[in-house]
Amino acid sequence: MAMQRVQHLNGVYYRDNPKTLQLHYPPSKLNYNVPHVQEVQAYAKPTLLNISSENSSKGERTLEALGQLDPLTRNQFGLKKTAIDQFTFRLLYDCANCLEEPPQSFIILSYSWHSSAWSQHPCLQTSNLDACPLTLLMWNAFLAQRDNINEPFWIDQLCITQTSSMEKHLAIGAMDLLYRSARKVVIALEDIALNKQEVDSVFAYVNRPPMTTDLSEEMTRDDLNNIASTFRKIIEARWFARAWCLHEFLVSKRHAFLIPVHSENESRAIGIIRVDGPFLFNASRIWIRQEIEHQNLGEISRRFSGMDQSTLLRARRLREQLGALDAADAFGTETVHSDGSYMHMFAEIATLGAFEVADKISIVLNTLESGLYYRGVTGITIENCCRLITIVALAAGDPTALTLNGLKLRSLNENQWLRMPLPGGGDQARPQGSPIIPPTIMNTCITKRGLEIDVVHLCTHKSISLPDQYYLSMARLLVDNRGTCTTRIPSTVLRLDDEMNEPTFADLRLYYIQALACVLQCGKEWSVDCYKRLQFSSQSGIIFDWEDRAKEGFEEAIDWALATEIEEDISPDMNEMWEEVDWSLLPWEHNCYAHILNFVDVLIGIGLAIPNKDDQNRPLEPCAVQICTIEQAEDTSQFVVFTPKFPLVSLNTWRSLTSLWYLCIPKALVSESYNWMSRAWILEDLDLVESNDGMKAYAIVAKTRLIGPATTPKGLIERAIIAR
């Protein structure tokens, strides 16, 4: 539908369902009337903010555990109930006579504060008014989102006394409750603009016949490309790069996005379009479809390798949250916007922008509904934020505080056991559909020597080794001839085939060869048992279990791989490329090949967890996929483990020839509840003699995964100090 055909509708286009789409045209005159601000009466505050539903017992338990873990850290946090009770709740009104009746609902504005750090889109005229937080056209579109002219609204810049640090602390502590309680959160994107062609395509999509399954039959290719372009513009807006904006998006239940519309022939915006969550979720599907059209692997790599990684993370988060909200509406369930991990949430917001770095602590506490608020100092570093969140996570029983891989916080000399979580989560990312991470009893304590914790000793590094050369050669033949495999499990692309960066490709090639060699050496029974226990997820994130028919196909694939003949003239040197060999496969062998390589791809995805750079941003030696033999294991003694290459250079260099490294698991992680997380530690003994308290001090060399069919093996439990 062309925009010219809706201009006669007095400035606003409504579809049958006005929650889906609106187009606001600028009135002949733009006015900004300074809104009236009034504090909400005490009797109305609990109803508007749903305060009765705020359970403080979780916060009380965490505070008590914090006091035992680290009393100094405990003093920097308070109960959220205190912040809510003392928070000054003000609302804005258009006219003075609206203040007489208590409000029944309110809306909230979510936006990027105007500053010299960024500029509004040229099609928007600036307000030139200090009191107006938006450009005037966007301001009028925001006010139009109210149910009626009497409905009040909340804007942080106008409702919080910005010169009062105490009031800001309390408001930040109650911020999640505010956004959850609002009837709608209106998101103003002022640094991007859609063109007329994109808006025409959006209307064409919304007005397509109901129950359309094949969009290509109802919409032109240009329309689909325009919708994909619309979605990409939205996720590249500055709003998505701000930490507080992510917080506001995650904790709220209803969203409306306001976006300027411009024409190449006009300098001013010709309107503001409003789109809501359901449309954006569907637009993301079209965007993905257009990006990977024709399923051409090389094209996929070129398209996505050209994108900023943060853009892909934004798109993933937007899809996850909008999909969860849609499911909550459909089934009447609560929205789950995180996996319950403090550390995963901190990793997500650590790289996002914020005026105060310390605000990221509050964002994590609010999003996780911790029952706490941060009342400490604001002028701290991101490393100190990481330290505080890690300690709170330990107190709250979050096991990911023990499993994260990342760089050491060298600026905190007394806390070198801490790690800065890697963006994106790595192997820590919870597969879609997995249960929320359950809290566990940590039994930890922070002392001057380091983190005091119970660990289960499994073996030394002498029990870890690469598979035999025969199996390495066999795996190498299979991996390097993957190009002959013409059939693939649907919607699956191997990392090895999707990686265009040559150094990374070289590392991945070694990982595939080593991992497959481990699988072949461990044998058919081990592989099938491991295959049954692991859940496999496709790139779309949908989990599925292997059925009996697939299991039979996998067993056949293992038999076929073990029967593969090795060419005698191929060099066994792992660092040399294979020569071309004539290796033709029958159709049934293609299917075996696909099973084998996809199984190894899953192992690689689960296991790779060691940072590729050190704390000084220097490349590290690639890890090795090896076989670990553990005598204490009940079902089997063999596990696949991703470790640094042994022997290592010791942290105490002069002891490097005699020092032992121990493979351990923190006792708190000995649970099947964490089977998708990295959980094994490689520790180096730092003590020459036993200390007065009888506890040895260790350094964490690496964290890794144990992959195998058996339950967590038993071992010697020791109370240890993790010094660094």
Side-chain angles (χ1 to χ4, degrees), residues 271-283:
I272 300 288
I273 189 173
R274 187 196 82 182
V275 296
D276 286 352
F279 168 77
L280 279 184
F281 181 73
N282 290 325

Side-chain angles (χ1 to χ4, degrees), residues 172-244:
I172 287 173
M175 200 70 72
D176 58 321
L177 190 59
L178 266 169
Y179 280 82
R180 280 205 305 269
S181 302
R183 182 181 63 82
K184 181 191 297 181
V185 173
V186 181
I187 299 162
L189 306 180
E190 295 188 292
D191 59 326
I192 64 169
L194 304 181
N195 59 45
K196 293 175 64 175
Q197 292 75 23
E198 289 166 335
V199 173
D200 286 341
S201 298
V202 169
F203 276 100
Y205 174 80
V206 171
N207 287 280
R208 74 194 189 283
M211 307 301 292
T212 301
T213 56
D214 188 355
L215 291 177
S216 61
E217 294 182 358
E218 302 293 340
M219 301 187 67
T220 67
R221 177 179 293 274
D222 286 342
D223 280 338
L224 294 175
N225 287 335
N226 285 335
I227 292 174
S229 172
T230 296
F231 180 78
R232 180 158 183 173
K233 279 185 178 180
I234 289 172
I235 61 175
E236 290 180 341
R238 185 179 197 277
W239 186 87
F240 283 93
R242 307 301 295 171
W244 271 118

